[in-house]
Amino acid sequence: MLTIYSDDHRLHRGRVELNDGKLQPCYECPERADVILETIKRSAPGDIIAPLEFGLRPVRAVHKPRYIEFLRQAWDLWAAEGRSCDALPLNWAVRGMRQIEPDHIDGKLSYFSFDAGTPITAGTWSAATTAANVALTGAAKILEGERGAFALCRPPGHHAAADYFGGYCFLNNAAVATQYLLDNDAARVAILDIDYHHGNGTQSIFYDRSNVLFVSIHADPLQEYPYFLGHSDEQGRGDGKGYNLNLPLRRRCGVNEWFGALDTGLQRISDYAPDCAVVSLGVDTYIDDPISQACLESSDYLSVGARIAQLGLPVLFVLEGGYAVNDVGINVVNVLTGFTDVRRRAR
Ligand code: 6XA
Ligand code: ZN
């Protein structure tokens, strides 16, 4: 399996996130990608290549201009206030308040975000644009005929919407890659999001569209972050009606239930008959993940990859969550290995 990777992910290293009522070290840390890369080098054959530079055009195809401008400037505006700590928002516009972009950086952080767990640092913009380029390079390789590619990118992306950040995500790498596939020859793309958390950003970006099928397996938003999107009755809107499938599961559900949802999602994708699939690959479904209440063991990820391979489609895997740093490498590699083993046998 081809892997796309850049060291530039290290430019984003948040110091603190608000969690359990405390400012804690960030779970979404550079060591995650380092461990995955080392495990791939050790035990998953295949080339590792650097990303190409795509410029901002494919990012603009998904994210709104004011939001892109905000992300680009946020750290400088924050630092101009004499601050050197991470930039975090403090309040949000809720029911009855107005959505007007403030002039002050503190207000802008609030306006363009939905949580206090996603710090912006000096290198966040560079790391986030590189992550998008990593995913885009994977998409370009799929268009060139590669049957599988892994975008080893961070910060992750699936919570980022057209104009807001949160859940450790700034630019929606999977959505940017998906739109690039559509703009370059693919007529229909299916996104399978198997991260423990609902991909609210990805859902919202493609909610009105029938050329993208979004399928997500995640913890029930009644019980788990991001809480305000991801219910089963969210099925798409307008042309997109019927092209959004949420499969929420109760927290701490068992392995059989999880794989049952995977089979349901894969069947829907198969019926849709897309040109290719993008998998938002979070491994925070792992039993020992520090922020999740999930059930998969490391060996289960082999079956996850194998079942995805049975779609018979070209697949771009894009890294999302997974915070058990010691095991995140083997969990990701097992998905990729399960996938390539089935593909090899099929040839
Ligand atoms: C709240 C939890 C953020 C979840 C991030 C994640 N601090 N999303 O893994 O997939
Ligand atoms: Zn997650």
Short mmCIF file of all heavy atoms in Angstrom, two decimals, residues 17-19 27 115-118 156 158-159 166-169 193 195-198 224-225 282 284 291-292 320-323, ligand 1:
data_model
loop_
_atom_site.label_atom_id
_atom_site.label_comp_id
_atom_site.label_asym_id
_atom_site.label_seq_id
_atom_site.Cartn_x
_atom_site.Cartn_y
_atom_site.Cartn_z
N GLU A 17 -5.73 21.22 25.79
CA GLU A 17 -7.13 21.22 25.41
C GLU A 17 -7.96 21.17 26.70
O GLU A 17 -7.49 20.67 27.73
CB GLU A 17 -7.47 20.02 24.52
CG GLU A 17 -7.31 18.66 25.20
CD GLU A 17 -7.74 17.51 24.29
OE1 GLU A 17 -6.95 17.09 23.45
OE2 GLU A 17 -8.89 17.05 24.46
N LEU A 18 -9.18 21.68 26.62
CA LEU A 18 -10.07 21.65 27.79
C LEU A 18 -10.79 20.31 27.79
O LEU A 18 -11.49 19.97 26.84
CB LEU A 18 -11.06 22.82 27.70
CG LEU A 18 -11.94 23.07 28.91
CD1 LEU A 18 -11.12 23.30 30.18
CD2 LEU A 18 -12.83 24.29 28.65
N ASN A 19 -10.57 19.53 28.84
CA ASN A 19 -11.13 18.18 28.90
C ASN A 19 -11.36 17.82 30.37
O ASN A 19 -10.50 18.10 31.21
CB ASN A 19 -10.13 17.20 28.27
CG ASN A 19 -10.80 15.91 27.87
OD1 ASN A 19 -11.92 15.91 27.38
ND2 ASN A 19 -10.11 14.81 28.07
N TYR A 27 -4.42 15.26 23.34
CA TYR A 27 -4.37 13.86 22.90
C TYR A 27 -3.92 13.77 21.45
O TYR A 27 -3.27 12.80 21.06
CB TYR A 27 -5.76 13.22 23.04
CG TYR A 27 -6.14 12.94 24.46
CD1 TYR A 27 -7.01 13.78 25.16
CD2 TYR A 27 -5.62 11.83 25.13
CE1 TYR A 27 -7.35 13.52 26.48
CE2 TYR A 27 -5.95 11.56 26.45
CZ TYR A 27 -6.82 12.41 27.12
OH TYR A 27 -7.14 12.14 28.42
N ASP A 115 -15.68 24.05 19.49
CA ASP A 115 -15.28 23.50 20.79
C ASP A 115 -14.01 24.17 21.31
O ASP A 115 -13.37 24.96 20.62
CB ASP A 115 -15.15 21.97 20.75
CG ASP A 115 -13.85 21.46 20.13
OD1 ASP A 115 -12.98 22.26 19.75
OD2 ASP A 115 -13.70 20.22 20.05
N ALA A 116 -13.67 23.84 22.56
CA ALA A 116 -12.49 24.42 23.22
C ALA A 116 -11.40 23.37 23.37
O ALA A 116 -10.57 23.44 24.27
CB ALA A 116 -12.87 24.98 24.59
N GLY A 117 -11.43 22.39 22.46
CA GLY A 117 -10.43 21.33 22.55
C GLY A 117 -9.46 21.35 21.39
O GLY A 117 -8.70 20.40 21.19
N THR A 118 -9.49 22.43 20.62
CA THR A 118 -8.77 22.45 19.34
C THR A 118 -7.88 23.68 19.24
O THR A 118 -8.24 24.67 18.58
CB THR A 118 -9.79 22.40 18.18
OG1 THR A 118 -10.74 21.36 18.45
CG2 THR A 118 -9.12 22.13 16.84
N PRO A 156 -6.14 15.96 11.96
CA PRO A 156 -7.21 15.28 11.25
C PRO A 156 -8.24 16.26 10.67
O PRO A 156 -8.04 17.49 10.77
CB PRO A 156 -7.84 14.40 12.34
CG PRO A 156 -7.53 15.09 13.62
CD PRO A 156 -6.23 15.79 13.42
N HIS A 158 -12.19 15.34 9.91
CA HIS A 158 -13.61 15.06 9.65
C HIS A 158 -14.61 15.91 10.45
O HIS A 158 -15.78 15.95 10.09
CB HIS A 158 -13.93 13.55 9.77
CG HIS A 158 -13.95 13.00 11.15
ND1 HIS A 158 -14.74 11.92 11.49
CD2 HIS A 158 -13.29 13.36 12.28
CE1 HIS A 158 -14.57 11.63 12.77
NE2 HIS A 158 -13.68 12.49 13.27
N HIS A 159 -14.16 16.58 11.51
CA HIS A 159 -15.07 17.50 12.22
C HIS A 159 -15.09 18.89 11.59
O HIS A 159 -15.97 19.70 11.94
CB HIS A 159 -14.66 17.64 13.69
CG HIS A 159 -14.81 16.40 14.50
ND1 HIS A 159 -16.03 15.77 14.68
CD2 HIS A 159 -13.90 15.65 15.18
CE1 HIS A 159 -15.85 14.70 15.45
NE2 HIS A 159 -14.57 14.59 15.76
N GLY A 166 -12.88 22.40 14.89
CA GLY A 166 -13.23 21.76 16.16
C GLY A 166 -12.84 20.30 16.13
O GLY A 166 -12.52 19.75 15.06
N GLY A 167 -12.87 19.63 17.28
CA GLY A 167 -12.57 18.20 17.33
C GLY A 167 -11.19 17.89 16.76
O GLY A 167 -11.02 16.86 16.09
N TYR A 168 -10.23 18.79 17.02
CA TYR A 168 -8.83 18.65 16.58
C TYR A 168 -8.66 18.88 15.07
O TYR A 168 -7.58 18.63 14.54
CB TYR A 168 -8.22 17.27 16.94
CG TYR A 168 -8.46 16.76 18.33
CD1 TYR A 168 -8.48 15.38 18.59
CD2 TYR A 168 -8.65 17.62 19.40
CE1 TYR A 168 -8.70 14.89 19.89
CE2 TYR A 168 -8.87 17.14 20.69
CZ TYR A 168 -8.90 15.77 20.92
OH TYR A 168 -9.11 15.29 22.19
N CYS A 169 -9.72 19.31 14.39
CA CYS A 169 -9.71 19.39 12.91
C CYS A 169 -9.83 20.84 12.42
O CYS A 169 -10.61 21.62 12.97
CB CYS A 169 -10.89 18.62 12.34
SG CYS A 169 -10.97 16.88 12.85
N ASP A 193 -16.90 6.66 6.99
CA ASP A 193 -16.24 7.24 8.16
C ASP A 193 -16.38 6.26 9.32
O ASP A 193 -17.48 6.08 9.85
CB ASP A 193 -16.89 8.60 8.50
CG ASP A 193 -16.13 9.37 9.56
OD1 ASP A 193 -15.59 8.72 10.48
OD2 ASP A 193 -16.10 10.61 9.49
N ASP A 195 -14.36 6.39 12.12
CA ASP A 195 -13.86 6.96 13.38
C ASP A 195 -14.95 6.78 14.46
O ASP A 195 -16.14 6.73 14.15
CB ASP A 195 -13.57 8.45 13.17
CG ASP A 195 -12.88 9.10 14.36
OD1 ASP A 195 -13.58 9.46 15.33
OD2 ASP A 195 -11.65 9.25 14.30
N TYR A 196 -14.54 6.72 15.71
CA TYR A 196 -15.49 6.57 16.82
C TYR A 196 -16.47 7.74 16.91
O TYR A 196 -17.60 7.58 17.38
CB TYR A 196 -14.68 6.47 18.13
CG TYR A 196 -15.49 6.45 19.39
CD1 TYR A 196 -16.20 5.31 19.79
CD2 TYR A 196 -15.54 7.58 20.21
CE1 TYR A 196 -16.93 5.31 20.96
CE2 TYR A 196 -16.27 7.58 21.39
CZ TYR A 196 -16.97 6.44 21.76
OH TYR A 196 -17.69 6.43 22.92
N HIS A 197 -16.04 8.91 16.46
CA HIS A 197 -16.89 10.11 16.55
C HIS A 197 -17.54 10.41 15.20
O HIS A 197 -16.95 10.15 14.15
CB HIS A 197 -16.04 11.32 16.95
CG HIS A 197 -15.27 11.12 18.22
ND1 HIS A 197 -13.97 10.65 18.24
CD2 HIS A 197 -15.64 11.31 19.51
CE1 HIS A 197 -13.56 10.57 19.51
NE2 HIS A 197 -14.55 10.96 20.29
N HIS A 198 -18.73 10.97 15.24
CA HIS A 198 -19.40 11.31 13.99
C HIS A 198 -18.62 12.38 13.22
O HIS A 198 -18.17 13.37 13.80
CB HIS A 198 -20.81 11.83 14.28
CG HIS A 198 -21.55 12.22 13.04
ND1 HIS A 198 -21.88 13.54 12.76
CD2 HIS A 198 -22.00 11.48 12.00
CE1 HIS A 198 -22.52 13.57 11.59
NE2 HIS A 198 -22.61 12.34 11.12
N GLU A 224 -22.33 11.00 23.10
CA GLU A 224 -20.91 11.20 22.81
C GLU A 224 -20.69 12.40 21.90
O GLU A 224 -21.57 12.78 21.11
CB GLU A 224 -20.40 9.89 22.15
CG GLU A 224 -18.93 9.75 21.96
CD GLU A 224 -18.07 10.02 23.18
OE1 GLU A 224 -17.76 11.20 23.41
OE2 GLU A 224 -17.70 9.05 23.88
N TYR A 225 -19.52 12.99 22.04
CA TYR A 225 -19.06 14.07 21.17
C TYR A 225 -19.19 13.65 19.70
O TYR A 225 -18.89 12.51 19.40
CB TYR A 225 -17.58 14.35 21.52
CG TYR A 225 -16.97 15.50 20.78
CD1 TYR A 225 -16.93 16.77 21.32
CD2 TYR A 225 -16.41 15.28 19.53
CE1 TYR A 225 -16.35 17.82 20.64
CE2 TYR A 225 -15.83 16.34 18.83
CZ TYR A 225 -15.81 17.60 19.40
OH TYR A 225 -15.23 18.62 18.73
N GLY A 282 -10.40 6.46 11.46
CA GLY A 282 -10.08 6.70 12.86
C GLY A 282 -9.96 5.36 13.55
O GLY A 282 -10.76 4.46 13.28
N ASP A 284 -9.87 5.28 16.93
CA ASP A 284 -10.28 5.53 18.32
C ASP A 284 -11.48 4.65 18.69
O ASP A 284 -12.08 4.80 19.75
CB ASP A 284 -10.54 7.01 18.61
CG ASP A 284 -11.30 7.72 17.49
OD1 ASP A 284 -11.81 7.03 16.58
OD2 ASP A 284 -11.39 8.96 17.54
N ILE A 291 -9.81 8.31 25.01
CA ILE A 291 -10.95 9.24 25.04
C ILE A 291 -12.25 8.59 24.57
O ILE A 291 -13.26 9.27 24.46
CB ILE A 291 -10.68 10.55 24.24
CG1 ILE A 291 -10.60 10.29 22.73
CG2 ILE A 291 -9.44 11.26 24.75
CD1 ILE A 291 -10.67 11.59 21.92
N SER A 292 -12.23 7.29 24.26
CA SER A 292 -13.42 6.65 23.69
C SER A 292 -13.91 5.52 24.59
O SER A 292 -13.18 5.04 25.46
CB SER A 292 -13.09 6.08 22.31
OG SER A 292 -12.52 7.07 21.48
N GLU A 320 -7.81 9.80 10.62
CA GLU A 320 -8.56 10.70 11.50
C GLU A 320 -8.05 10.50 12.94
O GLU A 320 -6.90 10.76 13.20
CB GLU A 320 -10.08 10.46 11.38
CG GLU A 320 -10.63 10.59 9.95
CD GLU A 320 -10.75 12.03 9.43
OE1 GLU A 320 -10.45 12.97 10.17
OE2 GLU A 320 -11.12 12.18 8.25
N GLY A 321 -8.91 9.98 13.86
CA GLY A 321 -8.51 9.88 15.26
C GLY A 321 -7.82 8.58 15.64
O GLY A 321 -7.54 7.73 14.78
N GLY A 322 -7.59 8.41 16.96
CA GLY A 322 -6.87 7.25 17.49
C GLY A 322 -5.75 7.75 18.38
O GLY A 322 -4.78 8.30 17.89
N TYR A 323 -5.92 7.57 19.71
CA TYR A 323 -5.06 8.28 20.66
C TYR A 323 -4.31 7.37 21.63
O TYR A 323 -3.61 7.86 22.50
CB TYR A 323 -5.90 9.33 21.42
CG TYR A 323 -6.68 10.16 20.42
CD1 TYR A 323 -8.02 9.89 20.14
CD2 TYR A 323 -6.05 11.15 19.70
CE1 TYR A 323 -8.71 10.59 19.17
CE2 TYR A 323 -6.73 11.87 18.73
CZ TYR A 323 -8.06 11.58 18.47
OH TYR A 323 -8.72 12.28 17.50
C1 6XA B 1 -13.52 16.28 22.53
C2 6XA B 1 -13.32 15.05 21.73
C3 6XA B 1 -12.71 15.31 20.40
C4 6XA B 1 -12.78 14.10 19.53
C5 6XA B 1 -11.82 14.15 18.41
C6 6XA B 1 -11.88 12.95 17.55
N1 6XA B 1 -12.35 16.85 23.02
N2 6XA B 1 -12.68 12.96 16.51
O1 6XA B 1 -11.23 11.95 17.72
O2 6XA B 1 -12.78 12.00 15.64
#
